[in-house]
Structures are given as structure tokens and as C-alpha cells.
Amino acid sequence: MGQGLWRIARNQQLQQQGYSGQGYLPREHGRRIPANNVSSTSHRKQAQGGIDIYHLLKTRKSKEQEGFINLEMLPPELSFTILSYLNATDLCLASCVWQDLANDELLWQGLCKSTWGHCSIYNKNPPLGFSFRKLYMQLDEGSLTFNANPDEGVNYFMSKGILDDSPKEIAKFIFCTRTLNWKKLRIYLDERRDVLDDLVTLHNFRNQFLPNALREFFRHIHAPEERGEYLETLITKFSHRFCACNPDLMRELGLSP
């Protein structure tokens, strides 16, 4: 209610000063000054205690223009540092304004490797027409496919040359990726025990407290919801890997897997 009364009082004040929605400025000595002729007048400040609307709008527009930062006017190192904080979606939007900067291969390479830490294609000579921006789109598409059907997702990565058809390479990809659905991943590892074996060997439990090592293990390889052969297999593989990483401790305590 207080805001409504303030608006009424404000409208009355503007009407008394001669301002209307037709683009007129305040009254000056009983006559109105058209806004389109304001440049020819020398009275733009205040008239009879009123407010210069033209001056306010002009000042606001200039401030808005000054607040817009053009990355192309900055040193390239600083521009790339600013753009490196963007995700893939925002970087695509930025490329509409700064095409050369936002399409830089180093930026998209950083996005790929920060999301998918290992891919076989990283260690190969890039094919003709290769770009990390295109690779990012393929990795994202493959991850979505994996989360719907793991076998089809892995086949997609292989068909694009992103992954080699090797259990060790697939295990490294899974170990360094956090975008895969853990339920689908659990089903896939249960079916691909060769990949599971290589995934277990990627864990380093040296000098780790046993419960912490177990938590880390099941953070990468999720346990099944029910007891059964697969859970026993995971516990056995973890036990052997923990002993292999801590041989001195096993001898000192006289423990075995």
C-alpha cells in the first residue's frame, strides 16, 4: 500500500512538472519542450525543481555500455583464463560473440580432459579434421548412450576411435570418468569381468586405513543391492589388491587376503 501511495504522489509530481508519456520534458516558464528538440536547448538540467528525464536515460545508457567487457580488447592470456571457467554450454554461447576465442582448441581440450580423464584418442596422432570441440560432443553423446545401454555406449566410443577395443583401456576410461550412471556401470562390470579385473588393479591402497580403502573401492565399483556371487567376487578382488599394495603390513601382522 505504501508503494502504491508513493507511485500516485510521484505521478502527480511529474504531471505538475509537465512530463507526459508523449516524450515532453519538464515545463519551463509555462511551456513544454519536445524531447526531440532537446539538443537545441541549453536547459537540460532542472527546471522548477524537476528532473531531467533525458539526462537520466542518457547517463544510464552510457553506464550500461561501459559495463560490457569486450574480451577481444584484453590480452589473449587473460581472455582464455576467463573463458576457461565456463562449461560447454556457456562456451558455445560465448562463441556467438567471440568466435575465435571461444572456439580455441586449448579451451575444449581442457573441458574434455577435466570430464573424461582418459581416452585412447588422447595418446594418438589426431586424424585429419580433428577438433576437441567435436570430440567433446562425441564424448557427451557416448556417455548418454552408455547410461541408456552400456554395451551400445562402449561400441559408440570404439566406432568413433575414442576408445581402443581393450579391457585395460575401457577400465581406464571408467576409472577417470564421473559422468557414467553407476547402476548401468554395475551391470556392465558384472558382465565384463575382464574389465573389472583391470579396474581393480588401477586402485592404489598403499598405506591406507583399511575402512578408507574399502570406501574408495566401492566409490568406483558400486556394490550390488543384494548379497550374492558378485558381491563375494568384489570383496575377494579387493582383499587381494589391498594385500598386494601393502606387503610389509601383511607380513608384519601375519594377515592374508
Side-chain angles (χ1 to χ4, degrees), residues 152-164:
E152 291 184 4
V154 173
N155 291 334
Y156 175 87
F157 290 131
M158 293 179 182
S159 66
K160 299 298 183 181
I162 298 174
L163 279 181
D164 292 340

PDB file of all heavy atoms in Angstrom, residues 152-164:
ATOM      1  N   GLU A 152      26.062 -50.533 -25.974  1.00  0.00           N
ATOM      2  CA  GLU A 152      25.974 -49.622 -27.108  1.00  0.00           C
ATOM      3  C   GLU A 152      26.862 -48.392 -26.906  1.00  0.00           C
ATOM      4  O   GLU A 152      27.453 -47.873 -27.857  1.00  0.00           O
ATOM      5  CB  GLU A 152      24.530 -49.190 -27.323  1.00  0.00           C
ATOM      6  CG  GLU A 152      23.615 -50.299 -27.820  1.00  0.00           C
ATOM      7  CD  GLU A 152      22.210 -49.803 -28.107  1.00  0.00           C
ATOM      8  OE1 GLU A 152      21.983 -48.575 -27.987  1.00  0.00           O
ATOM      9  OE2 GLU A 152      21.344 -50.630 -28.451  1.00  0.00           O
ATOM     10  N   GLY A 153      26.965 -47.938 -25.661  1.00  0.00           N
ATOM     11  CA  GLY A 153      27.824 -46.785 -25.380  1.00  0.00           C
ATOM     12  C   GLY A 153      29.285 -47.083 -25.655  1.00  0.00           C
ATOM     13  O   GLY A 153      29.988 -46.287 -26.292  1.00  0.00           O
ATOM     14  N   VAL A 154      29.761 -48.244 -25.193  1.00  0.00           N
ATOM     15  CA  VAL A 154      31.160 -48.621 -25.434  1.00  0.00           C
ATOM     16  C   VAL A 154      31.407 -48.819 -26.923  1.00  0.00           C
ATOM     17  O   VAL A 154      32.447 -48.405 -27.463  1.00  0.00           O
ATOM     18  CB  VAL A 154      31.508 -49.890 -24.633  1.00  0.00           C
ATOM     19  CG1 VAL A 154      32.904 -50.387 -24.998  1.00  0.00           C
ATOM     20  CG2 VAL A 154      31.429 -49.617 -23.132  1.00  0.00           C
ATOM     21  N   ASN A 155      30.470 -49.428 -27.613  1.00  0.00           N
ATOM     22  CA  ASN A 155      30.609 -49.612 -29.060  1.00  0.00           C
ATOM     23  C   ASN A 155      30.650 -48.271 -29.793  1.00  0.00           C
ATOM     24  O   ASN A 155      31.351 -48.113 -30.796  1.00  0.00           O
ATOM     25  CB  ASN A 155      29.464 -50.469 -29.596  1.00  0.00           C
ATOM     26  CG  ASN A 155      29.546 -51.910 -29.121  1.00  0.00           C
ATOM     27  OD1 ASN A 155      30.631 -52.423 -28.812  1.00  0.00           O
ATOM     28  ND2 ASN A 155      28.399 -52.577 -29.053  1.00  0.00           N
ATOM     29  N   TYR A 156      29.898 -47.307 -29.286  1.00  0.00           N
ATOM     30  CA  TYR A 156      29.912 -45.968 -29.895  1.00  0.00           C
ATOM     31  C   TYR A 156      31.303 -45.347 -29.754  1.00  0.00           C
ATOM     32  O   TYR A 156      31.840 -44.790 -30.726  1.00  0.00           O
ATOM     33  CB  TYR A 156      28.859 -45.086 -29.238  1.00  0.00           C
ATOM     34  CG  TYR A 156      28.869 -43.657 -29.723  1.00  0.00           C
ATOM     35  CD1 TYR A 156      28.152 -43.280 -30.850  1.00  0.00           C
ATOM     36  CD2 TYR A 156      29.590 -42.680 -29.038  1.00  0.00           C
ATOM     37  CE1 TYR A 156      28.161 -41.970 -31.302  1.00  0.00           C
ATOM     38  CE2 TYR A 156      29.608 -41.366 -29.477  1.00  0.00           C
ATOM     39  CZ  TYR A 156      28.888 -41.010 -30.607  1.00  0.00           C
ATOM     40  OH  TYR A 156      28.917 -39.701 -31.043  1.00  0.00           O
ATOM     41  N   PHE A 157      31.891 -45.437 -28.563  1.00  0.00           N
ATOM     42  CA  PHE A 157      33.234 -44.890 -28.357  1.00  0.00           C
ATOM     43  C   PHE A 157      34.247 -45.553 -29.283  1.00  0.00           C
ATOM     44  O   PHE A 157      35.132 -44.888 -29.833  1.00  0.00           O
ATOM     45  CB  PHE A 157      33.659 -45.071 -26.903  1.00  0.00           C
ATOM     46  CG  PHE A 157      32.914 -44.203 -25.928  1.00  0.00           C
ATOM     47  CD1 PHE A 157      32.355 -44.743 -24.777  1.00  0.00           C
ATOM     48  CD2 PHE A 157      32.768 -42.849 -26.143  1.00  0.00           C
ATOM     49  CE1 PHE A 157      31.664 -43.952 -23.876  1.00  0.00           C
ATOM     50  CE2 PHE A 157      32.075 -42.032 -25.242  1.00  0.00           C
ATOM     51  CZ  PHE A 157      31.524 -42.594 -24.110  1.00  0.00           C
ATOM     52  N   MET A 158      34.135 -46.854 -29.470  1.00  0.00           N
ATOM     53  CA  MET A 158      35.069 -47.564 -30.340  1.00  0.00           C
ATOM     54  C   MET A 158      34.861 -47.199 -31.797  1.00  0.00           C
ATOM     55  O   MET A 158      35.821 -47.062 -32.561  1.00  0.00           O
ATOM     56  CB  MET A 158      34.909 -49.070 -30.139  1.00  0.00           C
ATOM     57  CG  MET A 158      35.324 -49.568 -28.769  1.00  0.00           C
ATOM     58  SD  MET A 158      35.082 -51.347 -28.586  1.00  0.00           S
ATOM     59  CE  MET A 158      35.603 -51.591 -26.874  1.00  0.00           C
ATOM     60  N   SER A 159      33.617 -47.031 -32.202  1.00  0.00           N
ATOM     61  CA  SER A 159      33.338 -46.698 -33.602  1.00  0.00           C
ATOM     62  C   SER A 159      33.859 -45.317 -33.974  1.00  0.00           C
ATOM     63  O   SER A 159      34.211 -45.066 -35.130  1.00  0.00           O
ATOM     64  CB  SER A 159      31.830 -46.771 -33.870  1.00  0.00           C
ATOM     65  OG  SER A 159      31.132 -45.768 -33.135  1.00  0.00           O
ATOM     66  N   LYS A 160      33.946 -44.408 -33.009  1.00  0.00           N
ATOM     67  CA  LYS A 160      34.465 -43.071 -33.252  1.00  0.00           C
ATOM     68  C   LYS A 160      35.972 -42.978 -33.044  1.00  0.00           C
ATOM     69  O   LYS A 160      36.558 -41.901 -33.205  1.00  0.00           O
ATOM     70  CB  LYS A 160      33.769 -42.060 -32.334  1.00  0.00           C
ATOM     71  CG  LYS A 160      32.255 -41.967 -32.545  1.00  0.00           C
ATOM     72  CD  LYS A 160      31.901 -41.507 -33.929  1.00  0.00           C
ATOM     73  CE  LYS A 160      30.390 -41.359 -34.095  1.00  0.00           C
ATOM     74  NZ  LYS A 160      30.012 -40.926 -35.469  1.00  0.00           N
ATOM     75  N   GLY A 161      36.608 -44.096 -32.678  1.00  0.00           N
ATOM     76  CA  GLY A 161      38.044 -44.086 -32.437  1.00  0.00           C
ATOM     77  C   GLY A 161      38.443 -43.471 -31.115  1.00  0.00           C
ATOM     78  O   GLY A 161      39.629 -43.191 -30.886  1.00  0.00           O
ATOM     79  N   ILE A 162      37.484 -43.255 -30.242  1.00  0.00           N
ATOM     80  CA  ILE A 162      37.774 -42.638 -28.943  1.00  0.00           C
ATOM     81  C   ILE A 162      38.407 -43.640 -27.986  1.00  0.00           C
ATOM     82  O   ILE A 162      39.321 -43.306 -27.221  1.00  0.00           O
ATOM     83  CB  ILE A 162      36.484 -42.055 -28.339  1.00  0.00           C
ATOM     84  CG1 ILE A 162      35.927 -40.962 -29.261  1.00  0.00           C
ATOM     85  CG2 ILE A 162      36.723 -41.508 -26.945  1.00  0.00           C
ATOM     86  CD1 ILE A 162      34.581 -40.427 -28.831  1.00  0.00           C
ATOM     87  N   LEU A 163      37.960 -44.888 -28.026  1.00  0.00           N
ATOM     88  CA  LEU A 163      38.485 -45.951 -27.176  1.00  0.00           C
ATOM     89  C   LEU A 163      38.960 -47.110 -28.038  1.00  0.00           C
ATOM     90  O   LEU A 163      38.351 -47.421 -29.077  1.00  0.00           O
ATOM     91  CB  LEU A 163      37.405 -46.459 -26.205  1.00  0.00           C
ATOM     92  CG  LEU A 163      37.132 -45.666 -24.938  1.00  0.00           C
ATOM     93  CD1 LEU A 163      36.053 -46.357 -24.112  1.00  0.00           C
ATOM     94  CD2 LEU A 163      38.396 -45.492 -24.103  1.00  0.00           C
ATOM     95  N   ASP A 164      40.055 -47.759 -27.585  1.00  0.00           N
ATOM     96  CA  ASP A 164      40.514 -48.987 -28.212  1.00  0.00           C
ATOM     97  C   ASP A 164      39.737 -50.173 -27.644  1.00  0.00           C
ATOM     98  O   ASP A 164      39.275 -50.133 -26.498  1.00  0.00           O
ATOM     99  CB  ASP A 164      42.012 -49.188 -27.974  1.00  0.00           C
ATOM    100  CG  ASP A 164      42.847 -48.141 -28.708  1.00  0.00           C
ATOM    101  OD1 ASP A 164      42.319 -47.543 -29.670  1.00  0.00           O
ATOM    102  OD2 ASP A 164      44.006 -47.929 -28.313  1.00  0.00           O
TER     103      ASP A 164
END
